């Protein structure tokens, strides 16, 4: 069973940057794609970035050009570099497969102040 742990969130001002990490433990060889999701208060959880095993990436329009998803295969860790943060990026950020097939971790809170 794969266990996901997100970290790296915090409080930043508008225009700031953060780097989130998602560490996966367990059997991950079957994971085809991994994504970063976020959920703001009162809103549904949404996919913001995804990376496939082959390295292809895709982003939600709202973060395109500002966020970058990457991975370190040796560390079983995925990253989300977030630049030019905006107040509307405030949310709890989670990682999971593209099919949302794993148990959700606790997430990491990102708060962007105006």
């Amino acid at each position: 069973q794969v266990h996901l742990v997100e970290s790296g969130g915090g409080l930043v001002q508008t225009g700031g940057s953060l780097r989130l990490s998602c560490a996966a433990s367990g059997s991950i060889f079957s994971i085809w794609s991994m994504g970063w999701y976020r959920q703001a208060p009162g809103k549904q959880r949404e996919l913001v970035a995804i990376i496939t095993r082959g390295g292809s990436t895709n982003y939600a329009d709202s973060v395109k050009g500002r966020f970058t998803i990457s991975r370190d295969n040796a560390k079983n860790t995925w990253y989300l570099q977030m630049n030019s943060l905006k107040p509307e990026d405030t949310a709890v950020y989670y990682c999971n497969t593209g099919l949302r097939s794993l148990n959700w971790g606790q997430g990491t809170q990102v708060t962007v102040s105006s």
Side-chain angles (χ1 to χ4, degrees):
Q1 186 173 359
V2 178
H3 183 57
L4 301 171
V5 178
E6 302 94 346
S7 62
L11 172 64
V12 295
Q13 294 184 334
T14 296
S17 298
L18 284 172
R19 188 194 193 203
L20 307 184
S21 298
C22 167
S25 60
S27 179
I28 67 167
F29 70 93
S30 61
I31 293 178
W32 171 248
S33 63
M34 185 66 81
W36 280 97
Y37 300 77
R38 68 184 180 188
Q39 186 167 21
K43 295 188 176 181
Q44 289 189 335
R45 195 166 299 185
E46 63 172 347
L47 177 67
V48 296
I50 192 165
I51 186 167
T52 69
R53 187 184 297 172
S56 297
T57 59
N58 203 4
Y59 299 91
D61 288 342
S62 59
V63 306
K64 202 170 293 184
R66 300 188 298 121
F67 290 11
T68 302
I69 188 170
S70 62
R71 64 180 185 208
D72 185 330
N73 291 332
K75 296 182 179 179
N76 292 343
T77 301
W78 289 260
Y79 303 98
L80 186 67
Q81 178 67 44
M82 306 187 297
N83 299 328
S84 302
L85 283 162
K86 305 175 181 180
E88 50 264 44
D89 295 318
T90 295
V92 179
Y93 284 71
Y94 304 86
C95 58
N96 208 320
T97 69
L99 297 177
R100 306 188 183 197
S101 58
L102 301 175
N103 291 329
W104 294 97
Q106 83 288 349
T108 186
Q109 175 71 50
V110 172
T111 303
V112 185
S113 63
S114 57

